[in-house]
Amino acid sequence: LTMCEIDEDGLTAEHMAYLHTVEQAGGIGVGLSTINTLMLLPEQTIREIERLLLRRGLLVLEKTGRELTNKGFTKVSQNKGVR
């Protein structure tokens, strides 16, 4: 997994960049268009990244937008400066 740059939770650099992006945008109520603008990725790619984060309990989708869970905030804080 290390050779493939996948961490112990099964996350890639793109997953971590997504989590950092949501955290930098406030961590709660972040819209897809905001993530799209900040990450410069197509909507479909963002949705694919989100799937694993949702399954791992790092992210939830609320009416107001995407929100990091406590587990998501912890993951981001453990990986500050790692990209």
Side-chain angles (χ1 to χ4, degrees), residues 7 11-21 75-76 79 82:
D7 75 6
L11 304 181
T12 65
E14 274 192 330
H15 293 108
M16 289 309 305
Y18 179 102
L19 292 174
H20 283 284
T21 299
K75 184 72 175 174
V76 170
N79 289 280
V82 178

Side-chain angles (χ1 to χ4, degrees), residues 52-68:
L52 180 65
L53 299 174
L54 290 163
R55 283 195 306 259
R56 295 279 193 269
L58 300 166
L59 179 77
V60 292
L61 298 179
E62 298 290 345
K63 291 180 184 178
T64 57
R66 283 106 180 110
E67 297 186 7
L68 293 180

Side-chain angles (χ1 to χ4, degrees), residues 2-34:
T2 302
M3 289 176 59
C4 295
E5 297 184 10
I6 298 173
D7 75 6
E8 65 279 355
D9 294 319
L11 304 181
T12 65
E14 274 192 330
H15 293 108
M16 289 309 305
Y18 179 102
L19 292 174
H20 283 284
T21 299
V22 173
E23 190 254 351
Q24 289 173 350
I28 58 171
V30 182
L32 182 61
S33 61
T34 300

